[in-house]
Amino acid sequence: MTSTTKFIRLLPSTELPRYTHVPGSGTPHPYRDPRGHSYNRRPQPPKALKEERWSENRNYLIGLDYFNLGFYWEANDEWERLMRATGADSLTGLFLKGMVKMAAAGIKVREESIHGVRRHAASAGEVFADVAAESDRDRYCGLDFTLLQFAADRAAQLAYPTELEVGRPLRVFPFVLTPEPIPLQ
């Protein structure tokens, strides 16, 4: 994860949604609204994320792609479903909770709720610190804890653009979440 590295799609063959959902903005709810980008295509429950096999979990990887491309609601949805399948109380589930909170911070940027951005980003940083301490590792599911905590802290301190084009995905954070090693798909 760096601020100026070239972004690499982890699952380039996966079709991206035609817009990103921003609650309260007038974008159709992806699953419930007949105009939604995923209407009648409710995803199957994902397979649990295993830390030692993270690079094989398509739900985790597409969540990273969504996040890095500015589809924050979709990343949040992907990681939240994955967290439930993994077990929210497990160490990997707790890690996913941090990822969910980072995506929620991105949603709050789009909703122009700076308080919400700060609250979710700070909470993500705390979760990542807890997982780092409990796992006694520098990396988890391909991501570096120091950089994750820095990203969360940075996200909580930034000023963000307002009046963004509704539904247009836009990366609002000055970092990308790039796992190492890059999975071969």
Side-chain angles (χ1 to χ4, degrees):
M1 169 179 33
T2 62
S3 58
T4 57
T5 59
K6 181 181 174 193
F7 170 69
I8 298 170
R9 285 244 358 237
L10 301 172
L11 294 176
S13 62
T14 302
E15 184 179 335
L16 295 173
R18 65 182 186 275
Y19 64 91
T20 185
H21 180 53
V22 180
S25 71
T27 57
H29 188 279
Y31 301 122
R32 294 191 299 250
D33 190 307
R35 298 169 297 144
H37 64 58
S38 297
Y39 185 70
N40 280 337
R41 288 188 285 160
R42 190 78 170 154
Q44 295 297 315
K47 292 182 181 175
L49 178 63
K50 305 281 187 210
E51 197 283 326
E52 65 280 359
R53 298 184 71 141
W54 63 266
S55 64
E56 299 169 18
N57 190 298
R58 293 182 60 82
N59 298 88
Y60 176 64
L61 298 177
I62 195 63
L64 288 169
D65 276 350
Y66 286 158
F67 183 91
N68 289 330
L69 290 168
F71 290 88
Y72 299 111
W73 186 92
E74 290 76 11
N76 182 281
D77 180 60
E78 203 68 47
W79 288 331
E80 195 168 289
R81 289 183 304 102
L82 189 55
M83 180 180 67
R84 285 193 300 269
T86 301
D89 295 333
S90 69
L91 191 59
T92 304
L94 188 59
F95 170 78
L96 287 166
K97 180 180 181 182
M99 301 300 284
V100 166
K101 288 181 174 294
M102 283 296 291
I107 294 168
K108 293 302 179 183
V109 170
R110 298 304 306 264
E111 293 177 340
E112 298 182 20
S113 169
I114 193 63
H115 174 72
V117 174
R118 290 182 177 138
R119 187 181 75 236
H120 286 295
S123 181
E126 292 170 7
V127 169
F128 294 138
D130 289 347
V131 175
E134 192 170 329
S135 70
D136 197 29
R137 296 186 185 171
D138 294 333
R139 304 178 83 59
Y140 205 83
C141 292
L143 298 175
D144 182 290
F145 278 125
T146 302
L147 295 174
L148 279 172
Q149 289 172 289
F150 172 77
D153 290 345
R154 184 85 173 108
Q157 297 169 10
L158 293 172
Y160 293 99
T162 57
E163 300 181 24
L164 298 169
E165 185 180 332
V166 173
R168 179 174 165 252
L170 176 69
R171 188 164 48 94
V172 297
F173 299 124
F175 54 83
V176 293
L177 301 177
T178 304
E180 292 179 15
I182 298 289
L184 301 174
Q185 297 298 324

